[in-house]
Amino acid sequence: MHLRNALRILLSTTLLLATSPAFSQAGAAKHTQAAVLAIQADQSIAKVSPTLYGLMTEEINHAYDGGLYAELIRNRAMQRDPSFVPNWLPLPEWPLVQRGTARATVTLDAKDGPSAALTRSLQLAVQQADATNTVGVRNDGFWGIPLQPNTTYTGSLFAKASADAASPLTLRLVNNNTGAVIASAQINTLAKDWKQYPFTLKTGAIAASADNHFELTVAHAGTYWFDLVSLFPPTYNNTPNGNRVDLMQKMAAMHPAFLRLPGGNYVEGNTIAERFRWRQTLGPLVDRPTHMSPWGYRSSDGLGLLEFLEWCEDLHMQPVLAVYAGYSLRGEHVAPGKDLQPYVQSALDEIEYVSGGVNTRWGAERAKDGHPAPFPLTYVEVGNEDNFDKSNSYDGRFAQFYDAIRKQYPHLQIIATAPVKSRTPDVLDEHYYRSAQDFFNDAHHYDHTDRKGPKIFVGEWATMEGTPTPNMDAALSDAAWMTGLERNSDLVVMAAYAPLLVNVNPMAMQWVPNLIGYDALRSYGSPSYYAQVLFSNHLGTEVSATTLSGANPRLYESVTRDAAKGILYVKIVNAASAAQPLQIQIAGVHAIDSHAHLYELRGHSAEETNTLDTPTRITPVSSTIAGVASQFTRTIPPTSISVFEIHYH
Ligand code: AHR
């Protein structure tokens, strides 16, 4: 090292030590000169959107069935899609169980079901069976049936039996490895017509495991029909037909402001016929026909429109309602004009179902479904990614939806999914799936965007790094990108990472990476999840003016304050592999508490990540730091995201 440089570093180090009581951290400023982040706390450059961070989900990666929606039985409605499972193959998920000398066949009865919506059923034709030689079907759930000790599981099924089928029906939960019966229940007789039979299964002192299956057996010859076989564990808030507790808790910790529902390709469907038909997702489960999702499997629609809205209510989010806008993924579209009118009317009805009073037609339907109170609604999104519509019909389609919605609901904010010329949307939904490098390089994307156009909803975005969930590098680039969203949240009113949920069983996922991973029993948040938690929980209400100088090119910052609470939130992302000493200068406040909270998310390498087996390898560490003043220095660790919560007067 040149002598003059050495002297300069020595001098600046001495200076920093003298001005900063917090500068006792090992290694600080040994390698790099301190950068300076100058904060003018009272100079507000933008309002922070209170709805900035929210959720976007859809039925992908078994996000609902086999994920958030707590149903444990797979293919409960006995569906077989000939394009996926040809007729000569057995009915999916319901193999035969035969014991001893029992004999039976299982088929799909395509002509008999319990309702107009469910018109087919599983037919079990038993030639021979008795009390010791039982026969029936099993279901392995969504990659196992997760069971906890001393827990009650609530089930029901629709069934009927031929006159000669004089058998009780036995329902059991069985361990796959030991064959042990963990819980069992009996329905004594089955009527000859369709009827719903409730049951409960209670576990004892077992070890929690997902290596279990569900069995349904009889002990007498005859013909039996079954449909809508359902089994639920305790759910979030103990809501019937409700959601998985651990996943709801993980989302709750993100303090999301909104839920885009139903998000992404799910609203469009592969074809017009397979679009999200909201009316068919309402009411008793037996009245929901189910539908094919664009991600290669059928959706039970147990998590339907009302359940989406109740999910919003549970997590104190507002719905961002996406309506089908006449374009589906394989390129089918509905021409604007009279052909599109029924779809526009359907959107108006849907809005009324969500937000109308009980004196409206669809508000009354919602009340009949069990929720008289209207849901608050501010945003309606017209379609999804309509930039992919090669017919160029979106301009016309959007205008038709826009005019009708604006006329009936003038207070609603209308979101376009692609730039349009025919009308000026209130908000434009932009999607970014990018490499870490691209997000690092574009963290200032919105800094100079014209404020005269529509507001921006970054309705889907993610760093595409890590499988099945993002690694630390992705979390850093996500956080770098979020500093830009936050600094510009006068313009960017909402943003949502996508996809949110993934069942990590290899056959379950269609997309990587995703924010939260799980199997039947366990779940974990990725480093990117914790970056979201950190940002969302320390939002602030105004963006303070800052200048950053002398930092490595991979250092990103955003400073907000909550003036009413007297808190400054200083977010620093150091994506470099070297520590960065940083002098933080705070002007524009009277006094600063000498102790602050620091939340730090740190990886040992860019590739480090969390998994089901190591769910908390990378999680935020919180501490109280001393020596905070109008000028203080901290060493920001390499590959880290730091949030300083500084109280001032
Ligand atoms: O998030 C996954 C998919 O990405 C969404 O369904 C779609 O909107 C986007 O192309």
Side-chain angles (χ1 to χ4, degrees):
M1 185 188 287
H2 195 280
L3 186 61
R4 209 173 45 212
N5 274 348
L7 264 176
R8 191 165 54 80
I9 288 172
L10 186 67
L11 261 176
S12 66
T13 310
T14 319
L15 234 169
L16 284 168
L17 277 168
T19 54
S20 164
F23 190 73
S24 55
Q25 293 167 277
K30 267 191 193 142
H31 314 291
T32 324
Q33 210 171 349
V36 175
L37 175 66
I39 303 167
Q40 191 63 43
D42 59 348
Q43 195 183 323
S44 160
I45 56 166
K47 286 249 177 290
V48 174
S49 167
T51 55
L52 183 57
Y53 298 114
L55 304 180
M56 135 73 188
T57 69
E58 61 173 314
E59 185 55 288
I60 184 174
N61 304 316
H62 287 272
Y64 305 155
D65 291 348
L68 178 64
Y69 181 52
E71 174 64 81
L72 297 176
I73 304 295
R74 190 164 177 194
N75 195 17
R76 68 182 179 190
M78 314 302 171
Q79 301 287 345
R80 174 164 55 201
D81 290 286
S83 47
F84 287 87
V85 185
N87 288 339
W88 50 267
L89 279 176
L91 177 64
E93 316 306 335
W94 291 102
L96 186 65
V97 174
Q98 282 181 140
R99 294 204 173 82
T101 58
R103 291 287 166 269
T105 53
V106 178
T107 50
L108 176 71
D109 185 336
K111 294 206 176 83
D112 198 354
S115 67
L118 299 182
T119 55
R120 44 178 70 189
S121 54
L122 183 156
Q123 189 190 81
L124 179 70
V126 182
Q127 292 87 46
Q128 191 179 316
D130 57 44
T132 43
N133 299 285
T134 57
V135 67
V137 284
R138 67 183 266 168
N139 189 289
D140 283 85
F142 295 92
W143 298 275
I145 302 242
L147 296 178
Q148 300 287 344
N150 306 313
T151 303
T152 300
Y153 294 80
T154 311
S156 76
L157 54 82
F158 282 79
K160 67 174 203 170
S162 61
D164 57 333
S167 172
L169 178 65
T170 302
L171 309 154
R172 304 198 296 184
L173 289 166
V174 182
N175 182 280
N176 294 339
N177 301 321
T178 63
V181 175
I182 294 171
S184 140
Q186 215 162 56
I187 294 164
N188 287 333
T189 46
L190 296 178
K192 70 178 187 9
D193 292 320
W194 283 109
K195 194 177 150 199
Q196 188 173 19
Y197 297 89
F199 60 90
T200 54
L201 291 165
K202 188 163 177 355
T203 61
I206 55 161
S209 157
D211 277 341
N212 310 294
H213 67 269
F214 171 81
E215 263 182 27
L216 182 164
T217 54
V218 295
H220 198 280
T223 309
Y224 305 80
W225 288 262
F226 302 106
D227 210 342
L228 203 64
V229 182
S230 172
L231 185 67
F232 274 81
T235 59
Y236 192 74
N237 285 347
N238 288 320
T239 306
N241 193 43
N243 292 334
R244 202 171 132 165
V245 177
D246 57 339
L247 297 181
M248 286 294 273
Q249 286 170 341
K250 286 202 168 55
M251 288 186 265
M254 295 170 74
H255 284 117
F258 65 86
L259 175 72
R260 178 171 168 230
L261 65 93
N265 293 165
Y266 193 49
V267 72
E268 300 162 88
N270 277 330
T271 59
I272 296 174
E274 289 179 358
R275 69 191 183 280
F276 182 81
R277 296 179 189 223
W278 61 275
R279 286 188 194 121
Q280 298 189 354
T281 70
L282 298 175
L285 298 180
V286 72
D287 295 332
R288 303 186 193 187
T290 77
H291 83 286
M292 197 64 199
S293 92
W295 295 101
Y297 58 94
R298 183 163 276 272
S299 167
S300 74
D301 289 332
L303 218 163
L305 179 58
L306 184 58
E307 287 79 15
F308 285 136
L309 296 164
E310 288 170 341
W311 170 11
C312 289
E313 207 165 53
D314 280 347
L315 299 190
H316 314 292
M317 310 179 280
Q318 59 170 291
V320 172
L321 181 67
V323 297
Y324 179 74
Y327 168 72
S328 293
L329 288 162
R330 289 197 186 135
E332 289 180 4
H333 80 279
V334 185
K338 69 172 179 13
D339 290 351
L340 193 62
Q341 200 44 42
Y343 297 89
V344 173
Q345 188 55 49
S346 172
L348 294 174
D349 293 346
E350 190 175 2
I351 294 169
E352 189 171 281
Y353 184 88
V354 174
S355 63
V358 290
N359 53 340
T360 62
R361 177 179 169 213
W362 286 103
E365 281 294 320
R366 188 195 58 242
K368 210 169 87 197
D369 292 340
H371 202 289
F375 293 90
L377 184 68
T378 305
Y379 293 101
V380 172
E381 175 155 22
V382 180
N384 177 62
E385 293 190 340
D386 286 85
N387 47 311
F388 286 111
D389 174 11
K390 297 293 169 265
S391 73
N392 292 324
S393 63
Y394 189 56
D395 234 295
R397 289 188 286 111
F398 181 79
Q400 201 169 330
F401 277 89
Y402 180 96
D403 292 348
I405 296 170
R406 181 61 87 231
K407 186 165 170 223
Q408 199 162 325
Y409 299 99
H411 65 283
L412 288 181
Q413 296 280 294
I414 303 173
I415 306 172
T417 74
V420 280
K421 295 201 183 74
S422 55
R423 300 289 181 276
T424 306
D426 299 305
V427 183
L428 181 64
D429 182 355
E430 298 188 339
H431 295 178
Y432 298 93
Y433 292 104
R434 288 180 160 183
S435 67
Q437 196 58 41
D438 285 350
F439 268 142
F440 285 133
N441 293 342
D442 200 25
H444 294 269
H445 183 90
Y446 290 109
D447 283 3
H448 306 292
T449 306
D450 180 11
R451 264 44 180 182
K452 292 195 202 85
K455 300 281 188 198
I456 302 293
F457 173 26
V458 185
E460 295 179 28
W461 70 269
T463 303
M464 303 298 278
E465 221 180 87
T467 301
T469 50
N471 58 22
M472 188 63 204
D473 198 39
L476 291 166
S477 101
D478 286 351
W481 174 246
M482 283 193 284
T483 60
L485 300 182
E486 203 165 273
R487 274 196 318 275
N488 292 286
S489 70
D490 58 319
L491 174 72
V492 181
V493 287
M494 295 182 290
Y497 186 101
L500 177 70
L501 298 170
V502 64
N503 185 318
V504 299
N505 283 290
M507 296 300 286
M509 67 181 125
Q510 293 83 44
W511 184 287
V512 291
N514 310 277
L515 206 61
I516 298 172
Y518 49 86
D519 62 8
L521 196 66
R522 301 170 295 167
S523 60
Y524 69 97
S526 63
S528 289
Y529 163 81
Y530 288 109
Q532 296 272 332
V533 170
L534 279 182
F535 272 63
S536 181
N537 281 280
H538 302 99
L539 186 58
T541 56
E542 296 161 31
V543 181
S544 292
T546 56
T547 50
L548 177 66
S549 51
N552 79 62
R554 285 286 177 87
L555 197 87
Y556 303 88
E557 55 86 14
S558 155
V559 178
T560 60
R561 73 165 178 164
D562 187 323
K565 291 187 186 150
I567 301 177
L568 262 186
Y569 299 108
V570 180
K571 301 187 182 86
I572 309 289
V573 181
N574 184 9
S577 53
Q580 172 69 66
L582 181 70
Q583 186 182 78
I584 298 176
Q585 301 173 352
I586 305 169
V589 296
H590 293 301
I592 294 171
D593 284 3
S594 61
H595 289 77
H597 296 297
L598 171 62
Y599 304 88
E600 218 169 57
L601 187 70
R602 232 186 126 171
H604 294 96
S605 76
E607 292 73 29
E608 196 178 9
T609 197
N610 293 336
T611 65
L612 275 180
D613 293 329
T614 55
T616 53
R617 187 161 25 202
I618 300 177
T619 51
V621 174
S622 68
S623 59
T624 302
I625 58 165
V628 176
S630 57
Q631 217 175 74
F632 69 104
T633 300
R634 294 285 305 177
T635 294
I636 309 297
T639 55
S640 70
I641 300 164
S642 306
V643 180
F644 296 86
E645 187 184 300
I646 299 170
H647 291 251
Y648 67 86
H649 310 281

